Amino acid sequence: MDIQSVGIVGAGQMGNGIAHVFALAGFDVLLNDVNQDSLTNAITLIDRNIERQVTRGKVSADDKAAAMARIRTTLKLADLGATDLVIEAATERETVKQAIFEDLLPHLQPHTILTSNTSSISITRLASRTDRPEKFMGFHFMNPVPVMQLVELIRGIATDKDTFDACLAVVDRLGKTASTSEDFPAFIVNRILMPMINEAVYTLYEGVGSVKSIDESMKLGANHPMGPLELADFIGLDTCLAIMNVLHDGLADTKYRPCPLLTKYVEAGWLGRKTKRGFYDYRGDVPVPTR
């Protein structure tokens, strides 16, 4: 099918990035959130981020104006039912995602494809709670969406070929690269990345190294662009913990046990950049390690 309109649930860090790239690629975008301030802030951020691309010569001023004109916002989830493709980008909690899809179902067109930007939750299980498991997929963007090239496409057990092909065509139109993952906990990227981050937290927890020494070791010793603890703060420690719990519960292997220190930081509300404190303190001009 020819997808022209896209509904995005959630105007947070991932949702506004997804809206950004879809609008620039020529799709009509309807961005939904439960909070008007979140929608207003998302539009401001998208405008600023595309303006940065204009300044760098990657996007023309006319293309920016056209992209911004393609983005509409709504507080009503039901409004997304008129779109060809829905991408759920809400918080990484299965009960929240299930409730969103259940509320959407009565308003969908027969051809509408449902997808989730989940980074770890079973696509098959999410799809089973809808009326169209054959038209349901995982559509996992990397953060920050406008910068990162990869999109993970995850088929549930019932996903049909037409749905997969349609989503693959969308990724091509976005100018990104698709990787296909089977529907197992955390898929490919986070199945590999999150245990590494968790091990870095254990290395800190056990006193093997400090925040600074761990991050510098991986940046200078393994040529990583960002240290694992710095990256965890960027992703959000609550998200990291949620993914580790999905891996631990889904695969029943002790090697995926979340580090107690990661749990403690989340319990303290130190979630990383978004709360100004995590493994680094971001409240000053320069991030300062908290351990």
Side-chain angles (χ1 to χ4, degrees):
M1 64 174 286
D2 184 27
I3 294 172
Q4 296 298 330
S5 58
V6 180
I8 301 167
V9 184
Q13 189 175 40
M14 295 303 295
N16 75 63
I18 294 168
H20 173 149
V21 298
F22 269 91
L24 273 180
F27 293 90
D28 293 323
V29 176
L30 184 57
L31 182 60
N32 162 261
D33 201 280
V34 295
N35 187 296
Q36 182 59 52
D37 287 344
S38 295
L39 291 172
T40 302
N41 292 339
I43 294 299
T44 300
L45 187 59
I46 293 167
D47 186 275
R48 186 164 67 237
N49 287 341
I50 299 181
E51 182 60 34
R52 189 177 294 120
Q53 291 176 293
V54 172
T55 302
R56 294 173 180 170
K58 295 182 177 180
V59 173
S60 71
D62 287 345
D63 285 344
K64 177 197 170 184
M68 294 306 300
R70 292 187 192 103
I71 303 174
R72 295 180 297 121
T73 64
T74 181
L75 291 168
K76 298 178 181 177
L77 186 63
D79 291 346
L80 272 59
T83 61
D84 300 322
L85 170 68
V86 172
I87 302 174
E88 171 273 315
T91 187
E92 192 68 357
R93 285 167 49 197
E94 187 166 349
T95 53
V96 172
K97 295 178 186 298
Q98 287 176 345
I100 287 168
F101 289 124
E102 287 170 4
D103 288 348
L104 263 174
L105 291 182
H107 310 285
L108 296 175
Q109 300 181 91
H111 71 268
T112 300
I113 293 174
L114 291 178
T115 67
S116 176
N117 185 57
T118 179
S119 50
S120 60
I121 297 168
S122 168
I123 298 303
T124 298
R125 197 162 61 240
L126 288 174
S128 72
R129 301 290 293 270
T130 75
D131 64 351
R132 59 193 68 203
E134 73 286 351
K135 293 184 181 297
F136 195 108
M137 277 197 65
F139 211 141
H140 181 216
F141 289 85
M142 305 296 123
N143 185 33
V145 180
V147 175
M148 302 298 281
Q149 181 67 21
L150 185 73
V151 180
E152 280 184 319
L153 293 180
I154 306 101
R155 278 180 280 209
I157 197 169
T159 307
D160 64 25
K161 185 176 185 300
D162 288 343
T163 298
F164 176 81
D165 289 345
C167 289
L168 183 60
V170 168
V171 175
D172 288 342
R173 185 171 162 185
L174 293 175
K176 295 189 180 293
T177 300
S179 70
T180 305
S181 170
E182 294 301 315
D183 184 23
F184 288 96
F187 319 129
I188 295 172
V189 172
N190 284 315
R191 171 77 176 261
I192 297 168
L193 176 63
M194 285 303 159
M196 184 198 75
I197 288 175
N198 194 53
E199 195 61 30
V201 183
Y202 266 115
T203 304
L204 178 65
Y205 176 62
E206 294 169 3
V208 178
S210 66
V211 169
K212 182 180 178 182
S213 62
I214 291 166
D215 277 352
E216 282 190 347
S217 293
M218 294 308 292
K219 285 191 285 187
L220 302 180
N223 206 28
H224 289 192
M226 190 181 291
L229 301 176
E230 183 185 2
L231 179 57
D233 276 355
F234 181 75
I235 293 168
L237 303 192
D238 52 340
T239 299
C240 294
L241 179 60
I243 295 169
M244 287 308 301
N245 281 325
V246 167
L247 279 165
H248 191 227
D249 295 343
L251 297 172
D253 192 323
T254 55
K255 73 179 180 180
Y256 299 116
R257 182 172 70 96
C259 179
L261 183 60
L262 177 60
T263 302
K264 188 178 291 292
Y265 269 71
V266 173
E267 288 174 344
W270 291 19
L271 308 182
R273 285 182 175 271
K274 60 187 173 185
T275 59
K276 304 296 185 184
R277 279 195 290 186
F279 292 112
Y280 292 85
D281 189 326
Y282 300 92
R283 293 174 296 176
D285 294 333
V286 178
V288 178
T290 54
R291 288 179 91 85

